[in-house]
Amino acid sequence: RKRHLVELVRKSRQKREAGEWGHMAFSKSVLRWRLIGEGYSSQLSVDDQRYIFRLAFRMWSEVSPLEFVEDLHSPLEEIDIRLGFGTGRHLGCAQRFDGAGREFAHAWFLGDIHFDDDEHFTAPNTGNGISLLKVAVHEIGHVLGLPHIYRAGSIMQPSYLPQDAGFELNWLDRKAIQNLYGGCKGRFSTVFDWIRKEKTQYGEVVVRFNTYFMRDGWYWLYENRNNRTRYGDPVSVPVGWHGIPAAGVDAYVHVWTRKTDAAYFFRGTQYWRYDSESDQVFSRDADGQRYPRLISEGFPGVPSPVDTAYYDRRDAHIYFFRGSMVYRFDVRANRLAAGSPKKMTELFPAVAAGDHPVAKLDAAYFSYTHNALFLLKGTSYWRVVGSRERRLKAWLPYNGLLPRREVDQQWFDICDVHVSSLK
Amino acid sequence: EKIFHRRDHSDVVPPSSRQATLITDTDTAEQFLFKYGFIKAVKWEEPPAQSTDMLLDADTVLEDTDPFVQEGASLFRSSSGGTSQSPDFIQALREFQQVSGLAVTGLFDDATKVAMNKPRCGVPDKEEDLVETTEASSTAQDLNETSTYNGTTPELYNHTPKPATR
C-alpha cells in the first residue's frame, strides 16, 4: 500500500511515455508556456492573468526539477503548454464548457489548459470567487501528468475548495510530481547556519539560527522542522544578503568564541565581514578594518580562492579547503597551524575505504540541527563522525567520514526555478 | 472590480442561458458520473489541432452535437434500459461518494447532490489508462522525517530574516 502511488504512476506512464528517467512525462526540463492571444479572460487584466500563471508555474518549479519560462515570441508549435480562456464551445476544444458554475477548467496531458470564462475567477487573496491561481496550479498538475488525488490538502482534488489564505503544494503533491520527474539535485556554493542574537520581550538575549543553502546567485532558507525550503524560495542573493557578491560566495565562516562573534563571506581572493545585527556587510568594522579585504591579508598563509571553509569550535581553528588540501588556521594566533596544509584524506579519513570526496569540496557545513559536520560535494554528502559516536565505537577515527549519502535524501525540495522568475 | 464593457454592466453577469445546468435528479447525476468516468473510463485526449477558421466558429454554441451529452445518454440508456437505478449507476454513485468523502449510501441523497454541483475541474476522475484513482498512504510521510534536534541553539522559527518573494 505504501508504494501505491509509485506503482500506479509507473504502470500507466510505461504505457505512454518512458523517457530517460523511467516514468517521466515531459522529456525536457525547461518548458515554454504562453497565454494565447485569442484566449484572454474578460475578467482580469492581461498582466494579472500572466502574473498569476507565472506564479502558478513557479510553484511547481519550486518542488520539481522542471523549469518554466513564458515565451511570447516562438512559433506556437514550439510552445509546450498553451493556456487560454473561453466560454461554451472554445478554442477548437472537443469539450464544451457548461457556463457559470460546475466545470471551471480542464487540461490535456502534455498539452493545453482551458479556463471557463463564465466562472468568476479572481486574483489570489481576494477572498471571493474562484482563485485563478489555485485552478491554474491544479490544471498545470494535469498537464505535467498528475491525475486527480483525493487526499485532503492536495491541490489535485477535483472539486474546488474555497481559497484559504496562501495555499501551497503540500508534501503529497511534491512527492507525486517528484515520482514523475525525480527529485531536485544540484551542487551548492555553500551551506551554513546563520546565528543571530535576539532580545526577548523580557530583555533576555537568546541565540537562534536559520539554515541557508546557496547556489551561485540565489539562496534558500531551509525549514528543518518542516523538512523543506521556505515557501517562495529561492531568492536572489542581493535581495537577502546586502553587500556580498551577487554571484554568490565560495564559503561562509562563523568564528564564534567567548570573545569573538564574527561572520565572514569568502569569494575569490577577497572576504567580507557580515554585520548580523544590521544585516549587511561591514564597510569598516569596530577594529577599523575596511572590507572587502584580501584573504592573504586577513588569513596569512591561506591560499585563495578556496573551495569552502568552516570554523571548528572544538579546536577554535578555521579549516580552509582547496583542491585536495586542508589549511588549518589558528584564529587566536592568527596564523596557519603547524603542519598545515595536510591532505583532506589524512585529516578526514574515510570510514568506508574508498568512499571519500578526496578533493574540490563544495561545502563544509556544521549543522546545529543535527549537531554534526557535513562535507558536501556534487549531489552527495559525507557526515563527519561525532564525539558521541566515537564514545560508542572507539575504533571510529577522529573526524572520520561516514559513507556518502545523497543530499536530496537529507534536505528536501531545494529546487531551482527559471532564471526569468528570479527577477 | 470585474471588467465590463457595457455601461449597464449587463455583460458582467453571464446571461442565465450560460449558467451550468445543475445536477437535480438521477438522470443528470448519471450524465455526471458518465462524464467523469465513474461509469466507464473516459478516453481523455486532446483533439487534433484545428485550423484557425474553425476557431472563428468557436462562438457558435452547438448544443446537439456535444459528444459527451449525446453519447453518454444514449450509451447509458441502452445499457440500463432507461431505468436510473441500475447496478452500474449505484456502483458508480457509491464510488463517487467514497472518493468525495461522503457517506457511501448508493443513494442520490442531498449531500451527493451538493458535491456534484461544486465547482470542479473538467478532467475526468477516471481516464481510460489511469483506471484507478491515486491514493497514497500518509505513512510514507515518515520518509521525510530527520532525527530530532538535540543541539543547544534552537532554530529561529516563524522568523523571516530574509525577505520572501511571497
Side-chain angles (χ1 to χ4, degrees), chain A residues 62 89 95 100 105 118 148 168 171 209 226-227 230 232 240 279 368, chain B residues 18 20-21 44 46 58 119 122-123 125 144 149 156-157 162 165-166:
Chain A
E62 291 169 0
R89 177 112 9 242
Q95 177 157 345
D118 277 330
H148 281 147
E168 291 287 348
W171 179 84
F209 76 93
N226 298 318
N227 282 315
R230 177 177 53 184
D279 199 4
Y368 284 99
Chain B
R18 282 180 21 209
T21 51
W44 181 256
E46 187 161 18
V123 174
D125 299 330
N144 251 351
Y149 172 63
L156 181 67
Y157 196 64
K162 295 295 165 195
T165 50
R166 277 195 249 118

PDB file of all heavy atoms in Angstrom, chain A residues 62 89 95 100 105 118 148 168 171 209 226-227 230 232 240 279 368, chain B residues 18 20-21 44 46 58 119 122-123 125 144 149 156-157 162 165-166:
ATOM      1  N   GLU A  62       9.335  25.141  -7.936  1.00  0.00           N
ATOM      2  CA  GLU A  62       9.978  25.142  -6.613  1.00  0.00           C
ATOM      3  C   GLU A  62       9.993  23.769  -5.964  1.00  0.00           C
ATOM      4  O   GLU A  62      10.638  23.575  -4.948  1.00  0.00           O
ATOM      5  CB  GLU A  62       9.232  26.126  -5.680  1.00  0.00           C
ATOM      6  CG  GLU A  62       9.405  27.557  -6.049  1.00  0.00           C
ATOM      7  CD  GLU A  62       8.451  28.451  -5.291  1.00  0.00           C
ATOM      8  OE1 GLU A  62       7.663  27.931  -4.471  1.00  0.00           O
ATOM      9  OE2 GLU A  62       8.481  29.676  -5.533  1.00  0.00           O
ATOM     10  N   ARG A  89     -18.428  26.572 -26.464  1.00  0.00           N
ATOM     11  CA  ARG A  89     -17.501  25.914 -27.391  1.00  0.00           C
ATOM     12  C   ARG A  89     -16.319  26.859 -27.528  1.00  0.00           C
ATOM     13  O   ARG A  89     -16.487  28.038 -27.769  1.00  0.00           O
ATOM     14  CB  ARG A  89     -18.196  25.664 -28.725  1.00  0.00           C
ATOM     15  CG  ARG A  89     -17.303  25.081 -29.719  1.00  0.00           C
ATOM     16  CD  ARG A  89     -17.548  23.655 -30.165  1.00  0.00           C
ATOM     17  NE  ARG A  89     -18.697  22.919 -29.800  1.00  0.00           N
ATOM     18  CZ  ARG A  89     -18.628  21.800 -29.082  1.00  0.00           C
ATOM     19  NH1 ARG A  89     -17.459  21.429 -28.612  1.00  0.00           N
ATOM     20  NH2 ARG A  89     -19.680  21.118 -28.796  1.00  0.00           N
ATOM     21  N   GLN A  95     -14.313  19.570 -25.788  1.00  0.00           N
ATOM     22  CA  GLN A  95     -15.227  19.564 -24.647  1.00  0.00           C
ATOM     23  C   GLN A  95     -15.747  20.964 -24.413  1.00  0.00           C
ATOM     24  O   GLN A  95     -14.992  21.886 -24.116  1.00  0.00           O
ATOM     25  CB  GLN A  95     -14.519  19.049 -23.390  1.00  0.00           C
ATOM     26  CG  GLN A  95     -15.429  19.097 -22.191  1.00  0.00           C
ATOM     27  CD  GLN A  95     -15.023  18.136 -21.099  1.00  0.00           C
ATOM     28  OE1 GLN A  95     -14.217  17.227 -21.344  1.00  0.00           O
ATOM     29  NE2 GLN A  95     -15.557  18.317 -19.937  1.00  0.00           N
ATOM     30  N   ALA A 100     -21.497  29.314 -16.241  1.00  0.00           N
ATOM     31  CA  ALA A 100     -21.096  29.637 -14.867  1.00  0.00           C
ATOM     32  C   ALA A 100     -21.482  28.485 -13.935  1.00  0.00           C
ATOM     33  O   ALA A 100     -22.557  27.919 -14.069  1.00  0.00           O
ATOM     34  CB  ALA A 100     -21.802  30.904 -14.419  1.00  0.00           C
ATOM     35  N   ALA A 105     -12.560  24.525 -15.524  1.00  0.00           N
ATOM     36  CA  ALA A 105     -11.348  24.461 -16.383  1.00  0.00           C
ATOM     37  C   ALA A 105     -11.074  23.006 -16.699  1.00  0.00           C
ATOM     38  O   ALA A 105     -11.613  22.106 -16.024  1.00  0.00           O
ATOM     39  CB  ALA A 105     -10.152  25.073 -15.651  1.00  0.00           C
ATOM     40  N   ASP A 118     -16.792  31.945 -18.070  1.00  0.00           N
ATOM     41  CA  ASP A 118     -18.063  32.260 -17.405  1.00  0.00           C
ATOM     42  C   ASP A 118     -17.937  32.161 -15.889  1.00  0.00           C
ATOM     43  O   ASP A 118     -18.844  32.546 -15.152  1.00  0.00           O
ATOM     44  CB  ASP A 118     -19.175  31.297 -17.881  1.00  0.00           C
ATOM     45  CG  ASP A 118     -19.765  31.794 -19.193  1.00  0.00           C
ATOM     46  OD1 ASP A 118     -19.763  33.021 -19.391  1.00  0.00           O
ATOM     47  OD2 ASP A 118     -20.195  30.961 -20.010  1.00  0.00           O
ATOM     48  N   HIS A 148      -6.167  13.141 -10.711  1.00  0.00           N
ATOM     49  CA  HIS A 148      -6.835  13.684  -9.531  1.00  0.00           C
ATOM     50  C   HIS A 148      -6.385  12.887  -8.313  1.00  0.00           C
ATOM     51  O   HIS A 148      -6.256  11.678  -8.387  1.00  0.00           O
ATOM     52  CB  HIS A 148      -8.351  13.600  -9.690  1.00  0.00           C
ATOM     53  CG  HIS A 148      -8.872  14.701 -10.561  1.00  0.00           C
ATOM     54  ND1 HIS A 148      -9.956  14.553 -11.386  1.00  0.00           N
ATOM     55  CD2 HIS A 148      -8.434  15.968 -10.753  1.00  0.00           C
ATOM     56  CE1 HIS A 148     -10.199  15.679 -12.050  1.00  0.00           C
ATOM     57  NE2 HIS A 148      -9.263  16.562 -11.688  1.00  0.00           N
ATOM     58  N   GLU A 168      -0.332  26.241  -0.528  1.00  0.00           N
ATOM     59  CA  GLU A 168       0.975  25.833  -1.066  1.00  0.00           C
ATOM     60  C   GLU A 168       0.877  24.364  -1.476  1.00  0.00           C
ATOM     61  O   GLU A 168      -0.057  23.657  -1.077  1.00  0.00           O
ATOM     62  CB  GLU A 168       2.060  26.001   0.003  1.00  0.00           C
ATOM     63  CG  GLU A 168       2.357  27.449   0.350  1.00  0.00           C
ATOM     64  CD  GLU A 168       3.121  28.167  -0.752  1.00  0.00           C
ATOM     65  OE1 GLU A 168       3.612  27.463  -1.660  1.00  0.00           O
ATOM     66  OE2 GLU A 168       3.215  29.398  -0.727  1.00  0.00           O
ATOM     67  N   TRP A 171       3.025  18.149   0.991  1.00  0.00           N
ATOM     68  CA  TRP A 171       4.053  17.112   0.874  1.00  0.00           C
ATOM     69  C   TRP A 171       3.642  16.061  -0.153  1.00  0.00           C
ATOM     70  O   TRP A 171       4.444  15.611  -0.972  1.00  0.00           O
ATOM     71  CB  TRP A 171       4.241  16.480   2.258  1.00  0.00           C
ATOM     72  CG  TRP A 171       5.240  15.401   2.227  1.00  0.00           C
ATOM     73  CD1 TRP A 171       6.586  15.511   2.313  1.00  0.00           C
ATOM     74  CD2 TRP A 171       4.950  13.998   2.053  1.00  0.00           C
ATOM     75  NE1 TRP A 171       7.168  14.279   2.207  1.00  0.00           N
ATOM     76  CE2 TRP A 171       6.207  13.340   2.051  1.00  0.00           C
ATOM     77  CE3 TRP A 171       3.804  13.260   1.909  1.00  0.00           C
ATOM     78  CZ2 TRP A 171       6.307  11.972   1.898  1.00  0.00           C
ATOM     79  CZ3 TRP A 171       3.909  11.896   1.771  1.00  0.00           C
ATOM     80  CH2 TRP A 171       5.138  11.267   1.754  1.00  0.00           C
ATOM     81  N   PHE A 209      19.042  30.404  15.135  1.00  0.00           N
ATOM     82  CA  PHE A 209      19.727  30.246  13.831  1.00  0.00           C
ATOM     83  C   PHE A 209      18.716  29.907  12.747  1.00  0.00           C
ATOM     84  O   PHE A 209      17.613  29.433  13.029  1.00  0.00           O
ATOM     85  CB  PHE A 209      20.777  29.142  13.925  1.00  0.00           C
ATOM     86  CG  PHE A 209      20.197  27.756  13.911  1.00  0.00           C
ATOM     87  CD1 PHE A 209      20.053  27.049  12.739  1.00  0.00           C
ATOM     88  CD2 PHE A 209      19.746  27.186  15.091  1.00  0.00           C
ATOM     89  CE1 PHE A 209      19.503  25.777  12.728  1.00  0.00           C
ATOM     90  CE2 PHE A 209      19.211  25.919  15.098  1.00  0.00           C
ATOM     91  CZ  PHE A 209      19.086  25.215  13.908  1.00  0.00           C
ATOM     92  N   ASN A 226      10.195  21.561   9.060  1.00  0.00           N
ATOM     93  CA  ASN A 226       9.195  21.117   8.074  1.00  0.00           C
ATOM     94  C   ASN A 226       9.815  20.292   6.967  1.00  0.00           C
ATOM     95  O   ASN A 226       9.152  19.923   6.007  1.00  0.00           O
ATOM     96  CB  ASN A 226       8.503  22.329   7.456  1.00  0.00           C
ATOM     97  CG  ASN A 226       7.752  23.117   8.497  1.00  0.00           C
ATOM     98  OD1 ASN A 226       7.098  22.539   9.356  1.00  0.00           O
ATOM     99  ND2 ASN A 226       7.879  24.427   8.442  1.00  0.00           N
ATOM    100  N   ASN A 227      11.164  20.055   7.065  1.00  0.00           N
ATOM    101  CA  ASN A 227      11.827  19.271   6.018  1.00  0.00           C
ATOM    102  C   ASN A 227      11.595  19.840   4.633  1.00  0.00           C
ATOM    103  O   ASN A 227      11.353  19.085   3.674  1.00  0.00           O
ATOM    104  CB  ASN A 227      11.317  17.833   6.024  1.00  0.00           C
ATOM    105  CG  ASN A 227      11.964  17.060   7.155  1.00  0.00           C
ATOM    106  OD1 ASN A 227      13.156  17.153   7.348  1.00  0.00           O
ATOM    107  ND2 ASN A 227      11.157  16.357   7.920  1.00  0.00           N
ATOM    108  N   ARG A 230      11.734  27.240   2.478  1.00  0.00           N
ATOM    109  CA  ARG A 230      10.696  28.220   2.769  1.00  0.00           C
ATOM    110  C   ARG A 230       9.851  28.395   1.519  1.00  0.00           C
ATOM    111  O   ARG A 230      10.371  28.354   0.405  1.00  0.00           O
ATOM    112  CB  ARG A 230      11.364  29.549   3.158  1.00  0.00           C
ATOM    113  CG  ARG A 230      10.414  30.687   3.411  1.00  0.00           C
ATOM    114  CD  ARG A 230      11.138  31.925   3.862  1.00  0.00           C
ATOM    115  NE  ARG A 230      12.227  32.312   2.958  1.00  0.00           N
ATOM    116  CZ  ARG A 230      13.052  33.323   3.195  1.00  0.00           C
ATOM    117  NH1 ARG A 230      12.906  34.019   4.318  1.00  0.00           N
ATOM    118  NH2 ARG A 230      14.031  33.605   2.364  1.00  0.00           N
ATOM    119  N   GLY A 232       8.287  29.896  -1.541  1.00  0.00           N
ATOM    120  CA  GLY A 232       8.630  31.076  -2.312  1.00  0.00           C
ATOM    121  C   GLY A 232      10.107  31.195  -2.614  1.00  0.00           C
ATOM    122  O   GLY A 232      10.504  32.002  -3.440  1.00  0.00           O
ATOM    123  N   GLY A 240      18.605  39.274  -0.249  1.00  0.00           N
ATOM    124  CA  GLY A 240      18.626  38.959   1.178  1.00  0.00           C
ATOM    125  C   GLY A 240      19.939  39.203   1.872  1.00  0.00           C
ATOM    126  O   GLY A 240      19.978  39.312   3.083  1.00  0.00           O
ATOM    127  N   ASP A 279      22.362  43.372   9.371  1.00  0.00           N
ATOM    128  CA  ASP A 279      22.050  42.564   8.190  1.00  0.00           C
ATOM    129  C   ASP A 279      22.660  43.142   6.912  1.00  0.00           C
ATOM    130  O   ASP A 279      21.993  43.307   5.900  1.00  0.00           O
ATOM    131  CB  ASP A 279      20.526  42.486   8.029  1.00  0.00           C
ATOM    132  CG  ASP A 279      20.164  41.298   7.131  1.00  0.00           C
ATOM    133  OD1 ASP A 279      21.089  40.562   6.738  1.00  0.00           O
ATOM    134  OD2 ASP A 279      18.984  41.143   6.806  1.00  0.00           O
ATOM    135  N   TYR A 368      23.567  22.911  13.229  1.00  0.00           N
ATOM    136  CA  TYR A 368      23.101  22.929  14.627  1.00  0.00           C
ATOM    137  C   TYR A 368      21.879  22.039  14.774  1.00  0.00           C
ATOM    138  O   TYR A 368      21.567  21.545  15.844  1.00  0.00           O
ATOM    139  CB  TYR A 368      22.773  24.357  15.056  1.00  0.00           C
ATOM    140  CG  TYR A 368      24.011  25.162  15.322  1.00  0.00           C
ATOM    141  CD1 TYR A 368      24.522  26.030  14.378  1.00  0.00           C
ATOM    142  CD2 TYR A 368      24.708  25.002  16.516  1.00  0.00           C
ATOM    143  CE1 TYR A 368      25.682  26.735  14.628  1.00  0.00           C
ATOM    144  CE2 TYR A 368      25.865  25.716  16.768  1.00  0.00           C
ATOM    145  CZ  TYR A 368      26.347  26.587  15.815  1.00  0.00           C
ATOM    146  OH  TYR A 368      27.498  27.272  16.038  1.00  0.00           O
TER     147      TYR A 368
ATOM    148  N   ARG B  18     -26.191  31.003 -19.886  1.00  0.00           N
ATOM    149  CA  ARG B  18     -24.817  30.441 -19.766  1.00  0.00           C
ATOM    150  C   ARG B  18     -24.555  30.066 -18.326  1.00  0.00           C
ATOM    151  O   ARG B  18     -23.450  30.216 -17.834  1.00  0.00           O
ATOM    152  CB  ARG B  18     -23.802  31.422 -20.308  1.00  0.00           C
ATOM    153  CG  ARG B  18     -23.811  31.357 -21.817  1.00  0.00           C
ATOM    154  CD  ARG B  18     -22.857  32.261 -22.526  1.00  0.00           C
ATOM    155  NE  ARG B  18     -21.706  32.793 -21.881  1.00  0.00           N
ATOM    156  CZ  ARG B  18     -21.179  33.980 -22.225  1.00  0.00           C
ATOM    157  NH1 ARG B  18     -21.766  34.685 -23.144  1.00  0.00           N
ATOM    158  NH2 ARG B  18     -20.096  34.444 -21.642  1.00  0.00           N
ATOM    159  N   ALA B  20     -24.343  26.899 -15.778  1.00  0.00           N
ATOM    160  CA  ALA B  20     -24.250  25.445 -15.897  1.00  0.00           C
ATOM    161  C   ALA B  20     -25.543  24.812 -15.395  1.00  0.00           C
ATOM    162  O   ALA B  20     -26.111  25.258 -14.410  1.00  0.00           O
ATOM    163  CB  ALA B  20     -23.075  24.952 -15.074  1.00  0.00           C
ATOM    164  N   THR B  21     -25.999  23.770 -16.109  1.00  0.00           N
ATOM    165  CA  THR B  21     -27.207  23.091 -15.628  1.00  0.00           C
ATOM    166  C   THR B  21     -26.857  22.341 -14.350  1.00  0.00           C
ATOM    167  O   THR B  21     -25.806  21.698 -14.256  1.00  0.00           O
ATOM    168  CB  THR B  21     -27.662  22.053 -16.682  1.00  0.00           C
ATOM    169  OG1 THR B  21     -26.512  21.247 -16.996  1.00  0.00           O
ATOM    170  CG2 THR B  21     -28.148  22.731 -17.922  1.00  0.00           C
ATOM    171  N   TRP B  44      -9.510  10.392 -22.468  1.00  0.00           N
ATOM    172  CA  TRP B  44      -9.313  11.843 -22.350  1.00  0.00           C
ATOM    173  C   TRP B  44      -8.057  12.236 -23.117  1.00  0.00           C
ATOM    174  O   TRP B  44      -6.943  12.124 -22.630  1.00  0.00           O
ATOM    175  CB  TRP B  44      -9.161  12.213 -20.883  1.00  0.00           C
ATOM    176  CG  TRP B  44      -8.972  13.679 -20.630  1.00  0.00           C
ATOM    177  CD1 TRP B  44      -7.812  14.315 -20.318  1.00  0.00           C
ATOM    178  CD2 TRP B  44      -9.963  14.696 -20.689  1.00  0.00           C
ATOM    179  NE1 TRP B  44      -8.028  15.653 -20.162  1.00  0.00           N
ATOM    180  CE2 TRP B  44      -9.338  15.914 -20.393  1.00  0.00           C
ATOM    181  CE3 TRP B  44     -11.329  14.681 -20.971  1.00  0.00           C
ATOM    182  CZ2 TRP B  44     -10.039  17.119 -20.366  1.00  0.00           C
ATOM    183  CZ3 TRP B  44     -12.014  15.890 -20.946  1.00  0.00           C
ATOM    184  CH2 TRP B  44     -11.377  17.096 -20.634  1.00  0.00           C
ATOM    185  N   GLU B  46      -6.320  15.090 -26.087  1.00  0.00           N
ATOM    186  CA  GLU B  46      -6.507  16.378 -26.733  1.00  0.00           C
ATOM    187  C   GLU B  46      -6.905  16.159 -28.182  1.00  0.00           C
ATOM    188  O   GLU B  46      -6.331  15.301 -28.848  1.00  0.00           O
ATOM    189  CB  GLU B  46      -5.199  17.167 -26.664  1.00  0.00           C
ATOM    190  CG  GLU B  46      -5.337  18.604 -27.160  1.00  0.00           C
ATOM    191  CD  GLU B  46      -4.188  19.460 -26.649  1.00  0.00           C
ATOM    192  OE1 GLU B  46      -3.165  18.883 -26.241  1.00  0.00           O
ATOM    193  OE2 GLU B  46      -4.352  20.669 -26.612  1.00  0.00           O
ATOM    194  N   ALA B  58     -15.843  29.209 -33.103  1.00  0.00           N
ATOM    195  CA  ALA B  58     -15.986  28.671 -31.736  1.00  0.00           C
ATOM    196  C   ALA B  58     -17.149  29.308 -31.024  1.00  0.00           C
ATOM    197  O   ALA B  58     -17.717  28.742 -30.112  1.00  0.00           O
ATOM    198  CB  ALA B  58     -14.712  28.918 -30.946  1.00  0.00           C
ATOM    199  N   PRO B 119     -18.077  23.602  -7.880  1.00  0.00           N
ATOM    200  CA  PRO B 119     -17.173  23.926  -8.991  1.00  0.00           C
ATOM    201  C   PRO B 119     -16.038  22.891  -9.032  1.00  0.00           C
ATOM    202  O   PRO B 119     -15.513  22.525  -8.000  1.00  0.00           O
ATOM    203  CB  PRO B 119     -16.607  25.295  -8.615  1.00  0.00           C
ATOM    204  CG  PRO B 119     -17.505  25.832  -7.562  1.00  0.00           C
ATOM    205  CD  PRO B 119     -18.109  24.677  -6.862  1.00  0.00           C
ATOM    206  N   GLY B 122     -12.601  19.908 -15.117  1.00  0.00           N
ATOM    207  CA  GLY B 122     -13.283  19.114 -16.127  1.00  0.00           C
ATOM    208  C   GLY B 122     -12.563  17.842 -16.497  1.00  0.00           C
ATOM    209  O   GLY B 122     -13.082  17.024 -17.260  1.00  0.00           O
ATOM    210  N   VAL B 123     -11.344  17.657 -16.021  1.00  0.00           N
ATOM    211  CA  VAL B 123     -10.635  16.407 -16.346  1.00  0.00           C
ATOM    212  C   VAL B 123     -11.337  15.274 -15.618  1.00  0.00           C
ATOM    213  O   VAL B 123     -11.682  15.394 -14.454  1.00  0.00           O
ATOM    214  CB  VAL B 123      -9.156  16.498 -15.902  1.00  0.00           C
ATOM    215  CG1 VAL B 123      -8.457  15.168 -16.086  1.00  0.00           C
ATOM    216  CG2 VAL B 123      -8.442  17.588 -16.674  1.00  0.00           C
ATOM    217  N   ASP B 125     -12.214  11.915 -13.593  1.00  0.00           N
ATOM    218  CA  ASP B 125     -11.531  11.273 -12.464  1.00  0.00           C
ATOM    219  C   ASP B 125     -10.971   9.930 -12.876  1.00  0.00           C
ATOM    220  O   ASP B 125     -10.061   9.405 -12.299  1.00  0.00           O
ATOM    221  CB  ASP B 125     -12.492  11.119 -11.315  1.00  0.00           C
ATOM    222  CG  ASP B 125     -12.979  12.501 -10.870  1.00  0.00           C
ATOM    223  OD1 ASP B 125     -12.208  13.462 -11.028  1.00  0.00           O
ATOM    224  OD2 ASP B 125     -14.117  12.622 -10.425  1.00  0.00           O
ATOM    225  N   ASN B 144      10.225  11.565   5.247  1.00  0.00           N
ATOM    226  CA  ASN B 144      10.805  12.899   5.279  1.00  0.00           C
ATOM    227  C   ASN B 144      11.393  13.254   6.637  1.00  0.00           C
ATOM    228  O   ASN B 144      12.018  14.259   6.799  1.00  0.00           O
ATOM    229  CB  ASN B 144       9.729  13.938   4.962  1.00  0.00           C
ATOM    230  CG  ASN B 144       9.990  14.523   3.577  1.00  0.00           C
ATOM    231  OD1 ASN B 144      11.037  14.236   3.025  1.00  0.00           O
ATOM    232  ND2 ASN B 144       9.071  15.288   3.060  1.00  0.00           N
ATOM    233  N   TYR B 149      16.175  17.207  16.738  1.00  0.00           N
ATOM    234  CA  TYR B 149      17.235  18.166  17.012  1.00  0.00           C
ATOM    235  C   TYR B 149      17.705  18.039  18.449  1.00  0.00           C
ATOM    236  O   TYR B 149      16.947  17.845  19.345  1.00  0.00           O
ATOM    237  CB  TYR B 149      16.666  19.574  16.783  1.00  0.00           C
ATOM    238  CG  TYR B 149      17.643  20.609  17.242  1.00  0.00           C
ATOM    239  CD1 TYR B 149      18.888  20.740  16.635  1.00  0.00           C
ATOM    240  CD2 TYR B 149      17.362  21.428  18.328  1.00  0.00           C
ATOM    241  CE1 TYR B 149      19.808  21.674  17.066  1.00  0.00           C
ATOM    242  CE2 TYR B 149      18.277  22.368  18.764  1.00  0.00           C
ATOM    243  CZ  TYR B 149      19.503  22.489  18.123  1.00  0.00           C
ATOM    244  OH  TYR B 149      20.392  23.389  18.550  1.00  0.00           O
ATOM    245  N   LEU B 156      15.536  29.326  14.767  1.00  0.00           N
ATOM    246  CA  LEU B 156      14.690  30.525  14.714  1.00  0.00           C
ATOM    247  C   LEU B 156      13.499  30.144  13.845  1.00  0.00           C
ATOM    248  O   LEU B 156      13.662  29.774  12.694  1.00  0.00           O
ATOM    249  CB  LEU B 156      15.488  31.649  14.056  1.00  0.00           C
ATOM    250  CG  LEU B 156      14.769  32.992  13.927  1.00  0.00           C
ATOM    251  CD1 LEU B 156      14.564  33.550  15.311  1.00  0.00           C
ATOM    252  CD2 LEU B 156      15.610  33.927  13.101  1.00  0.00           C
ATOM    253  N   TYR B 157      12.303  30.257  14.396  1.00  0.00           N
ATOM    254  CA  TYR B 157      11.197  29.782  13.588  1.00  0.00           C
ATOM    255  C   TYR B 157      10.174  30.879  13.465  1.00  0.00           C
ATOM    256  O   TYR B 157      10.068  31.752  14.295  1.00  0.00           O
ATOM    257  CB  TYR B 157      10.568  28.531  14.219  1.00  0.00           C
ATOM    258  CG  TYR B 157       9.725  27.868  13.195  1.00  0.00           C
ATOM    259  CD1 TYR B 157      10.314  27.352  12.050  1.00  0.00           C
ATOM    260  CD2 TYR B 157       8.360  27.858  13.298  1.00  0.00           C
ATOM    261  CE1 TYR B 157       9.555  26.806  11.062  1.00  0.00           C
ATOM    262  CE2 TYR B 157       7.600  27.285  12.286  1.00  0.00           C
ATOM    263  CZ  TYR B 157       8.207  26.772  11.174  1.00  0.00           C
ATOM    264  OH  TYR B 157       7.457  26.246  10.221  1.00  0.00           O
ATOM    265  N   LYS B 162      15.082  36.954   6.046  1.00  0.00           N
ATOM    266  CA  LYS B 162      15.375  37.305   4.662  1.00  0.00           C
ATOM    267  C   LYS B 162      14.028  37.438   3.970  1.00  0.00           C
ATOM    268  O   LYS B 162      13.185  36.567   4.122  1.00  0.00           O
ATOM    269  CB  LYS B 162      16.199  36.200   4.014  1.00  0.00           C
ATOM    270  CG  LYS B 162      17.556  36.074   4.657  1.00  0.00           C
ATOM    271  CD  LYS B 162      18.368  37.331   4.415  1.00  0.00           C
ATOM    272  CE  LYS B 162      19.588  37.378   5.348  1.00  0.00           C
ATOM    273  NZ  LYS B 162      20.168  38.698   5.387  1.00  0.00           N
ATOM    274  N   THR B 165       9.681  35.965  -1.388  1.00  0.00           N
ATOM    275  CA  THR B 165       9.037  36.579  -2.560  1.00  0.00           C
ATOM    276  C   THR B 165       7.527  36.541  -2.383  1.00  0.00           C
ATOM    277  O   THR B 165       6.822  37.242  -3.042  1.00  0.00           O
ATOM    278  CB  THR B 165       9.378  35.761  -3.814  1.00  0.00           C
ATOM    279  OG1 THR B 165       9.102  34.409  -3.517  1.00  0.00           O
ATOM    280  CG2 THR B 165      10.821  35.930  -4.162  1.00  0.00           C
ATOM    281  N   ARG B 166       6.973  35.681  -1.562  1.00  0.00           N
ATOM    282  CA  ARG B 166       5.509  35.667  -1.445  1.00  0.00           C
ATOM    283  C   ARG B 166       5.132  36.005  -0.030  1.00  0.00           C
ATOM    284  O   ARG B 166       5.685  35.463   0.892  1.00  0.00           O
ATOM    285  CB  ARG B 166       4.988  34.248  -1.748  1.00  0.00           C
ATOM    286  CG  ARG B 166       4.863  34.039  -3.219  1.00  0.00           C
ATOM    287  CD  ARG B 166       4.040  32.827  -3.551  1.00  0.00           C
ATOM    288  NE  ARG B 166       4.974  31.845  -4.133  1.00  0.00           N
ATOM    289  CZ  ARG B 166       5.206  30.668  -3.589  1.00  0.00           C
ATOM    290  NH1 ARG B 166       4.590  30.308  -2.527  1.00  0.00           N
ATOM    291  NH2 ARG B 166       6.092  29.857  -4.145  1.00  0.00           N
TER     292      ARG B 166
END
